Amino acid sequence: MTQLKTQMQQQIQINDLAKDIEIIKDNHLVHMAEDIDQLKANVKDNRDHFNGRMDRLDNRIFWVLGLTVSTLVSIIASMVV
């Protein structure tokens, strides 16, 4: 009798675990997939934002470099002439 009772308890536990697994698969994994998609979109937006800022910074660096070189050339030219 105790063996039958133990088997019934084990079967109940197995059924409960199966239900929990189904709940996790149905609910939690769907939410996780949605969150991952949202994170991908946010990362893409951040990447676009920072690429734009880096492009502006590159332009400023080239302007400063160009002004420095042109100033250097004009100084050397004034020394020669």
Side-chain angles (χ1 to χ4, degrees):
M1 188 67 166
T2 59
Q3 185 179 10
L4 182 60
K5 187 176 181 180
T6 306
Q7 287 177 347
M8 288 177 61
Q9 288 175 344
Q10 287 176 348
Q11 188 61 37
I12 290 171
Q13 289 176 347
I14 290 171
N15 289 340
D16 289 342
L17 286 174
K19 288 178 188 176
D20 289 342
I21 290 170
E22 286 299 318
I23 289 171
I24 289 170
K25 283 177 21 182
D26 292 340
N27 293 334
H28 300 300
L29 294 180
V30 170
H31 293 296
M32 287 173 62
E34 291 171 356
D35 291 342
I36 288 170
D37 291 339
Q38 184 180 7
L39 283 172
K40 283 181 184 177
N42 289 341
V43 167
K44 184 177 179 183
D45 291 341
N46 285 342
R47 186 180 306 136
D48 292 340
H49 173 73
F50 285 112
N51 281 340
R53 292 185 63 90
M54 287 301 292
D55 289 341
R56 287 193 310 214
L57 185 62
D58 285 347
N59 288 337
R60 290 176 188 157
I61 289 172
F62 284 124
W63 273 103
V64 169
L65 181 64
L67 290 173
T68 304
V69 169
S70 64
T71 303
L72 182 63
V73 168
S74 67
I75 290 172
I76 291 173
S78 70
M79 292 172 111
V80 170
V81 173

